[in-house]
Amino acid sequence: MTEHWSDPGAYPVAEGVHRIPLPLPMDGLKAVNVYVIETEDGLTCIDGGWAIDVSRKLFEESLKSIGHHPRDVTSFLVTHAHRDHYTQAVALRSEFGAATIALGLDDKPTLDLVISDLSEDPFAKRVRLGGGSEIAHEWEEWAKSSSIEPDLWLYPDTWITEDTTIAVGTREIAAISTPGHTAGHFVYADHAADLLFAGDHVLPTITPSVGFEVIEDTFPLRDYLASLAKVKAMPDLQLLPAHGATDMRSHQRVDELIAHHDHRLEQSLAAVEGGHHTAYAVARELPWTRHDRKFTDLDLFNGGMAVMETMVHLDLLWIREQVTRELVDGEYIYQAVSQD
């Protein structure tokens, strides 16, 4: 029987490096890969997982199978501040008091937001700007019922501010800024071992979300495409993604992701030219997921994500002067630029 990438266990991907998939409490993504690097002084983990009981138990069982325990973890290099990557690192640091956490500085606004007293949900605000006022209202109601555990959103020990090299035992791990999926996203490369710990920047079978960001007045798709080009300029490495199997090379998948967004920009422009002038209206014209689902088949969360994703594509067209953008009654209105 062929193993699925999300099946529990500790899988060797290189000498001294194991992949441990940990479960997620959602229907779409089944698991998140935590990569464990063994050193003489303890373990370094790339990402930490989602702080839920089943993940904590499985992490301990998986480490036990390779002769270790969670208390052996001395550091976490977290790719970005999303719940499924960050919160279990915080929980384990609190539990054992020894492990340190490093995170990209530009994700600090995300942590600031989570631990602050919000008067307005920033994601609902973006959906409303995109013309999806009904979805925005439903999102706000859903957000009110969603619990936030402040003890899982504490600040890291180290903010990574720029591309740098981090010593992990005898390894030299390159921390490389790759904004787009989040503003503070970093990938980690072990060039000597031919490994790219890619987080959510480069995923093998799905397209990372771009636009699910709390920072206003930014252009995450522009940044994401630049970050893909940055990774393509690096050597072609074995892709170790946060979600998915480890049987691809980085250059192949980067090329596929760039082609996807080029096509998405063409589709978005065609929709505007066809008379659809808000991100919500354009999103309703586009196919979604790799299965080409209709917008009306998406649930509330993914519908809101689709509006935000569409808006960053339209904003990139605006930067490129292929459409105009005007704020009208609290919504961005896009118009195609005449080619005459």
Side-chain angles (χ1 to χ4, degrees):
M1 180 177 177
T2 302
E3 292 178 334
H4 189 266
W5 73 266
S6 62
D7 289 343
Y11 302 93
V13 294
E15 184 175 356
V17 182
H18 286 79
R19 179 182 68 86
I20 297 179
L22 297 176
L24 300 176
M26 57 180 65
D27 293 332
L29 294 175
K30 299 298 184 183
V32 59
N33 291 322
V34 171
Y35 294 94
V36 178
I37 303 174
E38 298 174 287
T39 78
E40 292 182 357
D41 300 320
L43 306 177
T44 290
C45 293
I46 309 294
D47 286 330
W50 188 318
I52 52 177
D53 290 342
V54 65
S55 176
R56 170 64 179 81
K57 179 181 179 181
L58 187 56
F59 186 55
E60 183 168 341
E61 292 174 353
S62 299
L63 285 179
K64 183 178 179 180
S65 72
I66 56 173
H68 291 290
H69 187 274
R71 70 171 63 91
D72 298 333
V73 178
T74 58
S75 63
F76 291 93
L77 302 179
V78 179
T79 57
H80 61 292
H82 280 170
R83 189 189 299 263
D84 54 328
H85 298 255
Y86 190 69
T87 56
Q88 187 158 266
V90 174
L92 289 169
R93 181 182 64 178
S94 298
E95 182 176 353
F96 296 107
T100 61
I101 301 173
L103 179 71
L105 177 62
D106 286 339
D107 271 356
K108 184 175 183 295
T110 296
L111 298 186
D112 293 340
L113 174 70
V114 172
I115 64 178
S116 67
D117 184 15
L118 292 177
S119 59
E120 182 179 13
D121 184 280
F123 304 115
K125 181 179 179 180
R126 288 191 62 78
V127 172
R128 192 169 280 111
L129 281 171
S133 57
E134 183 175 335
I135 293 179
H137 176 72
E138 294 179 12
W139 185 293
E140 286 172 330
E141 293 303 309
W142 166 74
K144 290 177 183 177
S145 65
S146 301
S147 60
I148 295 293
E149 299 176 82
D151 290 346
L152 299 178
W153 293 96
L154 304 178
Y155 292 117
D157 301 277
T158 302
W159 293 110
I160 308 176
T161 60
E162 59 186 357
D163 291 5
T164 188
T165 300
I166 299 171
V168 176
T170 59
R171 300 173 185 266
E172 290 189 346
I173 303 293
I176 302 157
S177 175
T178 49
H181 179 65
T182 71
H185 194 288
F186 271 78
V187 300
Y188 299 95
D190 184 341
H191 291 287
D194 188 42
L195 304 175
L196 178 66
F197 302 95
D200 281 358
H201 179 57
V202 182
L203 299 176
T205 59
I206 60 176
T207 305
S209 64
V210 181
F212 188 55
E213 183 59 88
V214 303
I215 304 173
E216 297 184 23
D217 301 323
T218 58
F219 299 99
L221 182 57
R222 175 196 61 188
D223 296 341
Y224 180 66
L225 293 174
S227 295
L228 287 177
K230 185 177 183 179
V231 170
K232 182 63 183 291
M234 294 164 47
D236 190 19
L237 303 173
Q238 181 183 355
L239 180 63
L240 302 183
H243 309 283
T246 59
D247 54 357
M248 290 190 74
R249 306 292 295 181
S250 58
H251 284 188
Q252 174 190 347
R253 186 54 181 158
V254 166
D255 286 342
E256 293 171 356
L257 288 168
I258 291 172
H260 165 80
H261 285 288
D262 285 345
H263 182 53
R264 206 63 169 171
L265 288 163
E266 293 172 357
Q267 291 176 312
S268 299
L269 179 57
V272 174
E273 291 173 339
H276 304 282
H277 301 301
T278 67
Y280 174 73
V282 172
R284 292 177 63 88
E285 295 299 304
L286 302 178
W288 292 97
T289 80
R290 54 182 169 158
H291 303 296
D292 288 344
R293 297 174 62 191
K294 295 180 180 180
F295 180 87
T296 51
D297 292 334
L298 302 178
D299 59 24
L300 172 63
F301 178 78
N302 286 297
M305 291 279 287
V307 173
M308 289 184 275
E309 181 93 13
T310 301
M311 188 156 62
V312 300
H313 283 81
L314 294 173
D315 283 344
L316 185 55
L317 292 171
W318 177 51
I319 295 172
R320 293 178 175 178
E321 300 183 345
Q322 293 176 273
V323 301
T324 61
R325 190 185 80 175
E326 183 180 3
L327 186 63
V328 179
D329 296 330
E331 299 178 354
Y332 283 134
I333 303 299
Y334 301 88
Q335 300 280 356
V337 174
S338 173
Q339 301 300 311
D340 296 337

